[in-house]
Amino acid sequence: MHKITLLGTGLIGQFYAASLIGMRNRDEIKVVYSRSPENARKFAEKWHIQRWTTDLAEAIRDPETDVVVIGLPNHLHKEATLLAAEAQKAVLCTKPLARTAEEAWEMLEAVEKAGVFHGYLEDLVYTPKTLKALEAVRQGALGKVLWARSRETHGGPHSDWFWKKEFSGGGALIDMGCHCIEIGRNFIGKEVRPVEAMCWADTQVHPIEAEDHAIGLIRYENGAIGQFEVAWNFRGGMDLRDEVAGTQGTIWLNHWLRTGFELFTAVGPQGYVAEKAEGTTGWLFPVGDEIGALGYVHMFLDQLNALDQNRAPMETFYDGYVVNAIMDACYRSVQSKQWEPILLKEWRGGGQGEAQQVLAEYDPEHWIIKTEKMPDGSLKYILRHKQSGEITQKIVPPAN
């Protein structure tokens, strides 16, 4: 059983509380912190939490708790982590780990030096669909993964601090690109080093200093490509989709907006529809189990089970650091308008070497470029001669 200090009472704090309370039937939130006394009091009453405070250090150092869950604005992640490490508490931090890779590295060093358990709360790699898809990839269903694309778009975040660059560290890229980048890393393989990034970002709609739209490419050492699109200017709700393409297969995932639950109403429901829903009339797309569909339940199960079992969770502070380093390269690319190297103080994955083509052989003299079944049942092979490079085609009639 773990006794938890929960930092933050915003939307993410609500999701975390709903996931943690009763999830494993043995963990308990004992203390909640908010910068607002009114928010702290109301949150504690709603979730039946014994103590609340507006003192960050007091919340973290509470003698009864052994786990600190950080659901605070980005600029407070480092301070909370350093206090948790000093207090010898296990620490779980929401995404992004930090505003920059430099901040993330300091946080990683602090928890490792203190020898405390650390987990990166990247919920979207824990959705049931994603976990099932990752298992298929690990079992070889797609062959070698060549390309992973992730998209998250909506009309913008719910709290003012997201829109303030000095607090958040950036705009849509740092807010949601962290999700998409880590989804891509999981599908391509965390043992494969990301080497460079190219990114476009701009503010198209909102009067803010940070970007409200970004599109990026990440090249990995084995030749695979991660692609992301994030936006705060998409209308119609929240759109979450992933695509993975390999030499032997493809996966398409649609997590949100088209949830499989469609409701039309002329008068509107009295209450909440789903995260980032823009209206309450017309066609709506509610969610049966929102915290489950967004990965929060599986995320905390993995993190707290890992703590119990003295093992690393699926997502650690090191993963968060790598994501921050990739986003730093993306921001440099926005300014330079060229590919930028991904700078890592330490690489803990494998060495994949240079990219290699995956070639299929037709016979000892030819590679197969493409195989296609024709309308009459015959097979057409587009071939390349290994020595001369000449491209030809061969048609094999259907068997009688």
Side-chain angles (χ1 to χ4, degrees):
M1 176 179 180
H2 295 290
K3 296 183 178 180
I4 298 165
T5 289
L6 176 60
L7 308 178
T9 58
L11 180 64
I12 197 68
Q14 298 285 350
F15 282 158
Y16 284 0
S19 304
L20 287 163
I21 292 175
M23 181 191 66
R24 301 194 315 164
N25 297 318
R26 59 183 185 270
D27 306 307
E28 185 178 2
I29 302 173
K30 302 296 290 187
V31 181
V32 64
Y33 160 84
S34 174
R35 291 167 293 169
S36 160
E38 182 67 10
N39 290 346
R41 181 186 61 79
K42 288 181 178 179
F43 192 97
E45 289 175 356
K46 176 179 179 179
W47 296 104
H48 307 289
I49 299 169
Q50 292 179 1
R51 297 185 295 283
W52 61 266
T53 180
T54 57
D55 187 316
L56 183 63
E58 176 187 324
I60 292 170
R61 293 169 180 159
D62 186 278
E64 192 177 3
T65 64
D66 66 313
V67 177
V68 175
V69 175
I70 302 173
L72 297 170
N74 298 350
H75 69 292
L76 297 174
H77 292 184
K78 176 182 167 183
E79 178 184 359
T81 294
L82 298 186
L83 285 168
E86 179 186 1
Q88 287 290 296
K89 303 284 183 78
V91 56
L92 312 179
C93 184
T94 192
K95 65 80 197 172
L97 187 60
R99 292 174 294 181
T100 65
E102 191 64 37
E103 276 189 352
W105 182 258
E106 290 182 57
M107 294 165 66
L108 175 62
E109 282 192 315
V111 294
E112 290 187 335
K113 183 177 179 180
V116 298
F117 180 92
H118 51 93
Y120 179 46
L121 299 181
E122 174 42 82
D123 60 289
L124 290 186
V125 304
Y126 285 100
T127 74
K129 291 178 184 176
T130 301
L131 292 175
K132 188 78 171 179
L134 285 170
E135 184 60 27
V137 170
R138 293 186 186 110
Q139 291 175 353
L142 270 60
K144 176 188 174 182
V145 173
L146 304 173
W147 171 68
R149 175 179 182 241
S150 185
R151 167 185 168 89
E152 180 175 0
T153 62
H154 53 64
H158 48 272
S159 294
D160 57 358
W161 68 264
F162 283 97
W163 303 86
K164 301 175 183 179
K165 191 174 180 179
E166 64 273 24
F167 292 164
S168 63
L173 170 54
I174 200 163
D175 177 31
M176 302 183 298
C178 57
H179 285 307
C180 299
I181 289 166
E182 189 63 355
I183 288 167
R185 285 187 69 230
N186 272 272
F187 280 118
I188 290 168
K190 290 186 187 179
E191 75 281 0
V192 185
R193 182 169 185 156
V195 293
E196 60 181 352
M198 166 71 82
C199 186
W200 166 88
D202 204 351
T203 303
Q204 295 182 309
V205 175
H206 301 96
I208 57 172
E209 295 179 9
E211 72 286 347
D212 62 13
H213 195 173
I215 301 170
L217 296 172
I218 302 142
R219 188 177 71 81
Y220 287 78
E221 192 175 34
N222 69 346
I225 291 290
Q227 179 181 346
F228 66 82
E229 180 179 8
V230 292
W232 286 346
N233 53 27
F234 176 79
R235 302 307 303 271
M238 184 161 66
D239 186 14
L240 299 178
R241 284 179 282 165
D242 305 320
E243 301 174 40
V244 190
T247 55
Q248 302 298 325
T250 304
I251 291 173
W252 292 346
L253 299 174
N254 194 337
H255 302 279
W256 215 251
L257 197 60
R258 287 296 185 267
T259 61
F261 178 179
E262 301 186 10
L263 164 69
F264 178 84
T265 172
V267 295
Q270 300 302 306
Y272 179 79
V273 177
E275 184 183 356
K276 304 299 191 297
E278 286 207 38
T280 58
T281 59
W283 280 108
L284 306 176
F285 309 99
V287 185
D289 176 13
E290 187 165 23
I291 61 172
L294 285 172
Y296 294 110
V297 172
H298 285 89
M299 177 180 73
F300 280 114
L301 278 172
D302 173 58
Q303 296 282 338
L304 294 174
N305 285 343
L307 177 56
D308 288 343
Q309 297 160 12
N310 195 30
R311 63 171 173 84
M314 179 175 159
E315 295 288 322
T316 69
F317 271 30
Y318 181 74
D319 294 306
Y321 163 68
V322 173
V323 171
N324 269 117
I326 292 172
M327 291 191 294
D328 281 2
C330 288
Y331 278 120
R332 292 197 307 272
S333 176
V334 171
Q335 298 301 316
S336 69
K337 303 188 187 304
Q338 62 185 11
W339 288 92
E340 289 288 340
I342 294 164
L343 305 176
L344 296 168
K345 290 181 181 291
E346 182 180 327
W347 173 241
R348 299 181 182 179
Q352 294 294 305
E354 291 301 316
Q356 295 182 348
Q357 288 180 291
V358 181
L359 303 176
E361 191 177 68
Y362 178 77
D363 59 28
E365 296 183 349
H366 295 87
W367 300 116
I368 298 175
I369 296 176
K370 183 183 179 184
T371 304
E372 181 179 358
K373 178 165 278 191
M374 306 304 289
D376 64 358
S378 62
L379 285 175
K380 177 187 284 188
Y381 294 91
I382 308 296
L383 307 173
R384 179 185 174 100
H385 194 274
K386 293 181 181 180
Q387 299 301 320
S388 69
E390 181 184 5
I391 295 176
T392 58
Q393 65 185 40
K394 182 179 179 65
I395 296 178
V396 179
N400 293 328

